[in-house]
Amino acid sequence: MALPSVWSVMRVVIPLISVVGLLSVRLVGAGQDSGSVIPAESRPCVDCHAFEFMQRALQDLKKTAYNLDAR
């Protein structure tokens, strides 16, 4: 009895894994639809988060530069 080659096995396994992955993504997405949704007006946008992060980073850099100058 001859064993199947690696390539013939992979031709079957890769599509099977792809189908299972797509089905699981659909199931997870369907589960996230239910539940409470925060309205867009009450949550800050991504740009606002990035701006606040950059502001804090700039303040930290200024403090570090001042501390280095003070030494």
Side-chain angles (χ1 to χ4, degrees), residues 3-65:
L3 292 175
S5 70
V6 173
W7 293 114
S8 63
V9 171
M10 293 304 281
R11 276 189 277 177
V12 173
V13 169
I14 290 176
L16 181 68
I17 290 174
S18 299
V19 168
V20 170
L22 288 173
L23 288 175
S24 65
V25 167
R26 271 198 159 170
L27 291 175
V28 168
Q32 289 178 350
D33 289 342
S34 62
S36 62
V37 176
I38 300 171
E41 296 84 21
S42 64
R43 58 190 155 134
C45 63
V46 174
D47 292 337
C48 298
H49 282 299
F51 180 75
E52 291 170 3
F53 175 78
M54 292 303 290
Q55 254 185 335
R56 284 193 302 268
L58 235 116
Q59 289 172 353
D60 291 345
L61 281 173
K62 286 180 184 177
K63 287 178 188 175
T64 304

